[in-house]
Amino acid sequence: MNWSEDNLPDTEPKSYPVLGDFIPVIDEWLEDDRKIPRKQRHTSWRIFCRLRDEHSFGGSYSSVKKYVRKKRFVMNSKSSGYLPLAHALGSGQMDFGKHIYYDGTGQEQDGYALTISFPNSNKGYTQTFPSQNQECLLEGMKRIFEHIGGVPPILRFDNMSTAVVQVLKGTERILTDGFTRFMLHYRFRAEFCNPASGNEKGNVENKVGYSRRNAFVPVPTITSFDAFNESLWEWCEKDAKRPHYKKKLLIEELWKDDEANLLRLPEYPFSVFRYASLTVNKSGFVTIETNKYGLSPALSGETVQAKIFFDHVEFFHDHHPVGHYRRSYKTNDEVYDWTQYVSVLCKKPGAIEHTRFFHQMPQQWQTFLEQTSGRERKNALQLLSEIVSDGNAALCADALELAGENGRTDADSLRQCYYMIAKKEYRPDPLKLPGSPVLNYNPNLSAYDGLTGGGANV
């Protein structure tokens, strides 16, 4: 097609005698399409069908197709082109970028790399997480702040749900409570892009793609996000040794101006977590985001408080800890700990092989309990419950091993072996004095002489 000046498309209704009365309807549909995903927008054929069926349009499909093509050209022309934006020294932009990685079993998983970039110097810092929820967002920002030794005075974001509850008119936003507290703690000003205006943080958009193509190629294996994120610091600093794409100076040299304009870190770091009150079901589980976490069945029906971090969850009942688990990012997963159920098993020792957590127990105890029954099994479980209650679950296999070495596997012998390992007899060292005391004792024995009559014989 020829898009020279004298062939620009004409969208005036006078050019479409049959279609003219329907053009306002088409325009409305096309404008509404801007607000919905691209794959669900009207095609020319769909517009023609709707005009025919809903508005009794009697014209041809070709006239609709020509108008829609030209209208879209004009709409795109109006929205194309961006104004260059100025960036204050030290100010940054933040975004998440999705990538894949392999877990410890070689399975492919989705990861989300949080990047903060600094447009003035083009320096960027990246940390990756198993999700882009609020805990991961704030934890990533906190880590970057602490690594660079300061806080960007201004940070620009898109309208992510972890930070923005509602987009109001203009630049007004209603923010989430967690994001607001974090922002006030670190004293930075948050600016948010207009909807569908990624160009307003184009620097970090480019940086996200750059880091994905370099720091995550080849596809990494991540068994510990903490360990992998530590390696990313080195990659970020090494990447800053290249020239700026436009200014031709090294990024690390330009970074000095940004670094000098950072805000000081607050005296106390922000603890990134959120609270949730949960009810324990009959099986002793509570649910967080479709995933179940096992607590003691004795808490059935009780309300517990969950302290939810990005990588683990702590549970409390009546201000006392009742569970600590890694946070699962699977769907409908069950996370539990066999030590939570031993006290209940003391009442139902025969059910142990049928429980889901039996294979979590140390292998020595699995074998031993399978060979016991009745009173012997109950006594062994009572001892195991005592060991767990003492906080010495790590020693339960050692006690069984020591008893086996001495040819004794009854519950009393096991208990004695456990006491020998965990409750060793305390014998204090003798008191060491600098020297033996010297007594100067010269009693007067004349009184005894009087009592015995000795004085009368003098």
Side-chain angles (χ1 to χ4, degrees), residues 205-269:
E205 297 269 356
N206 292 330
K207 187 67 71 176
V208 165
Y210 176 85
S211 63
R212 182 165 44 218
R213 294 189 299 271
N214 290 273
F216 297 91
V217 174
V219 175
T221 296
I222 302 178
T223 56
S224 166
F225 277 91
D226 285 339
F228 185 79
N229 280 329
E230 282 299 315
S231 70
L232 283 178
W233 296 133
E234 182 180 356
W235 179 86
C236 293
E237 299 298 347
K238 183 178 179 180
D239 182 66
K241 298 183 183 297
R242 61 187 175 93
H244 188 281
Y245 67 95
K246 185 176 181 180
K247 300 178 181 179
K248 307 308 178 187
L249 297 174
L250 293 181
I251 292 174
E252 63 181 359
E253 290 296 322
L254 295 169
W255 164 247
K256 293 178 182 178
D257 290 334
D258 279 327
E259 189 175 26
N261 285 273
L262 297 176
L263 302 175
R264 286 190 300 177
L265 289 169
E267 182 179 359
Y268 302 103

Side-chain angles (χ1 to χ4, degrees), residues 26 29-30 33 41-51 60-70 72:
I26 298 176
W29 291 345
L30 293 177
D33 275 355
R41 295 176 184 175
H42 286 83
T43 62
S44 298
W45 176 254
R46 180 58 180 154
I47 290 175
F48 168 73
C49 291
R50 287 192 65 187
L51 289 176
S60 66
Y61 167 65
S62 61
S63 63
V64 174
K65 182 179 179 181
K66 289 178 181 178
Y67 175 77
V68 170
R69 183 177 67 244
K70 294 178 181 181
R72 282 179 173 155

Side-chain angles (χ1 to χ4, degrees), residues 11-14 16 19-28 67:
T11 60
E12 294 299 319
K14 63 183 180 181
Y16 303 89
L19 188 64
D21 293 338
F22 300 90
I23 282 180
V25 178
I26 298 176
D27 289 349
E28 182 181 356
Y67 175 77

